[in-house]
């Protein structure tokens, strides 16, 4: 039997505790003229319940743009409950009383939380210290070597241009003029297979990004 043991979500400014843990939502029923409400589980709580019922397998939630939402408000009780030693069955296991359902809630040990963010906008500063120390941070740098088998006929080149060397050179100059957090990712060039597509990448992605980095200082660009 195939089971989906993960969820992928994106935080944004309207994302809330009610979407993530639980909240009171309108009950939509065409037959009823009166509006009624019910307590609905959020995406994280649903996944916790699945993981708790299936301890033999690992589960994960992937949160893209984790810094874009109000993380402290969205996580609520999780700021304490996601710590390894506070999880269900752990040494200092804890549970919290949820405000809407009035049920006790804890996080199972077989559920991992992954968040992604862009460091170029100093987004780590948007996370408060209490939350930051509950995560390990791993830097994901550009990988020019992945372009070796891209380009025309998977040669790693477009015409006489070596894509791997091109990206390395651009990033070395960006590091020297700005910093390593602003380096350009290899994803920009993964689909390049001709000079026309390379021109399009520069015209629509690389040059506008450099204009933003250097505030129109064309000498540096």
């Amino acid at each position: 039997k195939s089971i989906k043991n993960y969820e992928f979500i994106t935080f944004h400014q309207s994302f809330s505790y009610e979407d993530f843990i639980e909240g009171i939502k309108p009950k939509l029923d065409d037959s009823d003229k009166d509006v009624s409400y019910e307590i609905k589980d959020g995406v994280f709580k649903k996944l916790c319940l699945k993981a708790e019922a299936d301890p033999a397998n690992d589960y994960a939630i992937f949160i893209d743009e984790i810094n874009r939402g109000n993380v402290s408000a969205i996580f609520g009780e999780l700021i304490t409950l996601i710590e390894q030693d506070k999880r269900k069955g752990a040494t200092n296991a804890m549970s919290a009383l949820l405000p809407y359902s009035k049920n006790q809630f804890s996080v199972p040990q077989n559920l991992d939380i992954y968040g992604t963010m862009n460091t170029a906008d100093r987004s780590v500063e948007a996370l408060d210290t209490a939350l930051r120390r509950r995560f390990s941070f791993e830097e994901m740098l550009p990988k020019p070597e992945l372009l070796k088998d891209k380009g025309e006929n998977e040669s790693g080149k477009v015409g006489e241009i070596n894509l791997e060397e091109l990206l390395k050179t651009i990033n070395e100059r960006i590091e020297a003029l700005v910093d390593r957090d602003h380096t350009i990712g290899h994803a920009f060039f993964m689909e390049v297979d001709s000079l026309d597509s390379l021109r399009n990448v520069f015209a629509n992605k690389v040059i506008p990004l450099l204009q933003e980095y250097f505030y129109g200082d064309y000498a540096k660009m």
Side-chain angles (χ1 to χ4, degrees), residues 91-211:
T91 314
N92 301 310
M94 289 184 67
S95 62
L97 186 69
L98 295 178
Y100 293 107
S101 64
K102 306 302 180 188
N103 293 329
Q104 291 289 334
F105 176 70
S106 58
V107 179
Q109 295 187 52
N110 60 329
L111 175 59
D112 294 316
I113 304 170
Y114 295 89
T116 65
M117 65 173 72
N118 182 3
T119 53
D121 58 5
R122 302 293 173 199
S123 50
V124 180
E125 295 169 8
L127 301 179
D128 65 36
T129 307
L131 199 66
R132 251 185 285 169
R133 68 182 179 84
R134 286 164 169 81
F135 284 88
S136 301
F137 284 82
E138 183 177 346
E139 192 174 31
M140 306 296 286
L141 295 172
K143 295 181 179 179
E145 62 273 13
L146 295 180
L147 300 173
K148 280 181 179 176
D149 58 351
K150 302 299 176 183
E152 292 174 321
N153 303 315
E154 299 182 350
S155 62
K157 289 185 175 183
V158 173
E160 295 300 313
I161 299 169
N162 184 310
L163 294 177
E164 182 182 2
E165 290 301 318
L166 175 68
L167 182 58
K168 278 183 181 176
T169 305
I170 291 173
N171 282 337
E172 283 170 4
R173 294 177 183 178
I174 289 175
E175 281 190 47
L177 293 170
V178 193
D179 57 48
R180 63 186 288 171
D181 287 340
H182 287 75
T183 50
I184 290 174
H186 53 270
F188 280 10
F189 300 94
M190 293 294 278
E191 303 301 321
V192 169
D193 57 5
S194 67
L195 279 173
D196 280 341
S197 61
L198 184 59
R199 286 191 191 99
N200 285 335
V201 166
F202 266 87
N204 300 320
K205 295 180 180 179
V206 177
I207 291 174
L209 197 59
L210 295 178
Q211 285 175 323

